[in-house]
Structure formats: C-alpha cells, structure tokens
Amino acid sequence: TQTVSQSDAHVTVFEGDSVELRCNYSYGGSIYLSWYIQHHGRGLQFLLKYYSGNPVVQGVNGFEAEFSKSDSSFHLRKASVHWSDSAVYFCAVRVTGNTRKLIFGLGTTLQVQP
Amino acid sequence: DPKIIQKPKYLVAVTGSEKILICEQYLGHNAMYWYRQSAKKPLEFMFSYSYQKLMDNQTASSRFQPQSSKKNHLDLQITALKPDDSATYFCASSQDWGVQNTLYFGAGTRLSVL
C-alpha cells in the first residue's frame, strides 16, 4: 500500500521567511511525485513534479522541491514567502502501472503573517 | 477564465435522492478524472477516463456512475445519496493518460447530503 505523509498539519511563518513543507512517501517502485496548492474555496493548482533526473526541481512562484530516495522524501521549499502563499499544500504520489491515480497526503496549511 | 468548469458549485440533496455533477474541460485534454475530498481525509481518486473510455475505477459503490457524452465532458451521477457522500468533488484533466502528465483541477462541487 502506498502512503503519503505530510507531518505538519499547520505551518505559520512571517512574510519574507523561508519555509520547508515536508512530504514522505512509502513505495518501493518507480514513482512520480508532485506538489499542488489549494487556495481557500478553489481547486488544486499544480506547483511542480519529479519523475527522474535532477532531484531538485523548480516550480512556479519560486517553489522548489528535492527528491530523496534514501529518505523517501519530497520536501517543498521556498526561500522567501509572500502573504499570497497562504494556502493548503498537498504532496501527491502516482505509482507506475495500469492506474493513474494520485495518492495525496492530508495537506499542510501554510499561513504567512505580515 | 476557468478552463475546467464544474457545475453546480454548491449542491444540497436529501438522503436517497439522485444528483448529477457536471464537468466540462476546455483544455483540449484527452484524459479526465474524478476525485473526492471529504472532511479530515486525503483527496481520494475515484475514476479515470481516456478518450471517453473508463480506464480505472477505484470507487467501490456502483451508486457512483461517470458519464462521458463528449470527449471534453465527464459528469458524475450519484444515486441513492447518503450523508457520507457529503464532500467536495473535483474534476480534473490531463493531456493524455501518460504517467507524467500534469493534472489540472476544477474548482469543485461541494455536495451536502441531509
């Protein structure tokens, strides 16, 4: 069974701070990892993805994430957050095979204070 | 302009009734999906379609029936509604059924079953 764990339900930082949102997964095969952002009352929007190659991937709005096979992690980072980054962030895993389902974590609510 | 339109945005239904959730995408995508987001639970995959053909069904109950009348439509019919069906239902699409394809989500339909 594949699982995605986002250890922090809520993270609060100040504008201009750096932030790291943690994501760990359990699966031994080839996987596709992604992060999505959900602003209040909206659908999920794609931030970035990793499938192979450089373990550090760049996404939209200054976000990046680093894949670590040894740690089974795909943490999301941003060097300097803006108040508009306040949202819920979801990590997702898609396993290879006949299914295309994404398995999501419970999400981390990021609150950026002025 | 939203490229994935879900209607209605909010829906209230009585137990035992039947409702249809509408989804249309104008991204020219060939694959479409339904996900469900219930309170305190991760986003949950329900169905995937490719070129109007059902590819994957992870929904145990036959009360949930997707309907694809056109390539860019994937509606979701729910019969014999139960209070446990209360959730936000998200439609998504991707260019095709490839494993690396990015999913684009609609804003969701929030269903409340009384």
Side-chain angles (χ1 to χ4, degrees):
Chain A
T1 304
Q2 303 85 32
T3 61
V4 177
S5 173
Q6 293 182 245
S7 53
D8 299 312
H10 295 272
V11 172
T12 301
V13 295
F14 289 98
E15 201 164 12
D17 285 351
S18 63
V19 71
E20 179 178 83
L21 305 182
R22 304 174 64 81
C23 173
N24 291 87
Y25 63 90
S26 65
Y27 183 66
S30 298
I31 59 171
Y32 162 99
L33 295 151
S34 53
W35 278 94
Y36 284 80
I37 179 174
Q38 185 182 31
H39 287 101
H40 182 68
R42 307 271 297 274
L44 280 71
Q45 290 177 274
F46 172 76
L47 275 181
L48 48 73
K49 65 183 179 185
Y50 171 81
Y51 184 66
S52 64
N54 189 337
V56 179
V57 292
Q58 306 295 323
V60 297
N61 294 334
F63 285 96
E64 68 172 31
E66 183 167 4
F67 167 70
S68 170
K69 188 172 182 178
S70 59
D71 292 340
S72 297
S73 68
F74 189 56
H75 303 326
L76 181 71
R77 300 190 294 245
K78 187 168 183 178
S80 177
V81 295
H82 186 261
W83 64 267
S84 61
D85 293 324
S86 296
V88 183
Y89 291 77
F90 293 96
C91 180
V93 166
R94 175 186 278 167
V95 303
T96 56
N98 287 331
T99 181
R100 293 293 180 265
K101 72 174 181 179
L102 285 177
I103 300 168
F104 284 86
L106 278 169
T108 296
T109 300
L110 175 65
Q111 185 176 1
V112 181
Q113 295 186 340
Chain B
D1 269 348
K3 300 297 185 185
I4 300 181
I5 297 172
Q6 290 190 244
K7 294 183 285 190
K9 192 172 176 67
Y10 302 100
L11 190 54
V12 179
V14 295
T15 297
S17 66
E18 172 183 314
K19 292 294 180 186
I20 295 179
L21 281 56
I22 306 293
C23 177
E24 307 168 6
Q25 56 91 4
Y26 296 95
L27 293 164
H29 287 170
N30 299 309
M32 296 185 72
Y33 312 81
W34 277 102
Y35 281 80
R36 172 170 55 194
Q37 188 177 39
S38 305
K40 307 294 185 188
K41 291 183 181 178
L43 222 75
E44 177 190 9
F45 171 85
M46 299 180 75
F47 300 97
S48 68
Y49 268 66
S50 178
Y51 291 94
Q52 294 185 265
K53 178 184 169 186
L54 177 67
M55 302 299 289
D56 196 1
N57 177 358
Q58 301 274 331
T59 303
S61 174
S62 59
R63 296 186 299 107
F64 295 85
Q65 290 292 328
Q67 300 169 344
S68 181
S69 59
K70 300 179 190 177
K71 193 182 90 167
N72 69 325
H73 281 232
L74 186 64
D75 300 336
L76 182 64
Q77 180 185 41
I78 314 174
T79 58
L81 278 160
K82 302 177 180 180
D84 276 354
D85 297 330
S86 298
T88 301
Y89 290 81
F90 288 101
C91 175
S93 70
S94 63
Q95 182 61 53
D96 56 44
W97 213 59
V99 69
Q100 294 191 50
N101 279 280
T102 298
L103 260 63
Y104 295 83
F105 285 82
T109 292
R110 182 177 291 182
L111 172 64
S112 297
V113 183
L114 308 177

